[in-house]
Amino acid sequence: MEPRIPVAVGAATTTVLVVAGAVTGLLEARIAFSVLIGLPTGILAGAIVATATARIYGTRSQSVRAALEGIAAVGPTFLALAGIRYTIAATRGVLSTTTAIAVALLVGVVVAVLRGRSSE
């Protein structure tokens, strides 16, 4: 099975989180409701990335596919950890946003490395 659609959705999720967070953070000192600009910008960027990923996923080398799969793992991992932190009060002391970002990035790197080695 070719994971074209799940990889595209994961890459789009990662892109939405990164772009929306970056734009909102950059504009928060200048615009009171910067999230109203950050979210649509992130969603637009995510849609572009999802389309591009779905189109090029099968036509690229194994290393490019591995990198795309690693990127696709970051956003959903962060959202899962944020959901755990939100729903389970006991995890709030241990699972900060910074920790969730670090773990999500680590998962992305591990996925990329393991997927890159799977074809060798």
Side-chain angles (χ1 to χ4, degrees):
M1 179 181 113
E2 186 179 65
R4 177 185 307 254
I5 300 301
V7 170
V9 171
T13 303
T14 302
T15 303
V16 168
L17 291 172
V18 170
V19 171
V23 170
T24 301
L26 289 172
L27 295 177
E28 71 183 343
R30 296 186 182 107
I31 300 173
F33 296 103
S34 59
V35 73
L36 295 177
I37 296 172
L39 278 176
T41 305
I43 292 170
L44 177 63
I48 292 168
V49 166
T51 303
T53 301
R55 297 194 91 187
I56 69 167
Y57 180 78
T59 63
R60 299 294 185 221
S61 67
Q62 178 63 25
S63 61
V64 173
R65 287 195 303 269
L68 287 172
E69 291 167 1
I71 291 168
V74 174
T77 301
F78 174 78
L79 289 178
L81 292 172
I84 289 169
R85 183 179 190 274
Y86 179 75
T87 56
I88 303 172
T91 63
R92 292 181 190 147
V94 178
L95 189 57
S96 67
T97 302
T98 305
T99 305
I101 291 170
V103 170
L105 289 173
L106 180 64
V107 167
V109 169
V110 168
V111 167
V113 167
L114 291 178
R115 293 296 291 163
R117 291 183 181 211
S118 67
S119 68
E120 293 177 0

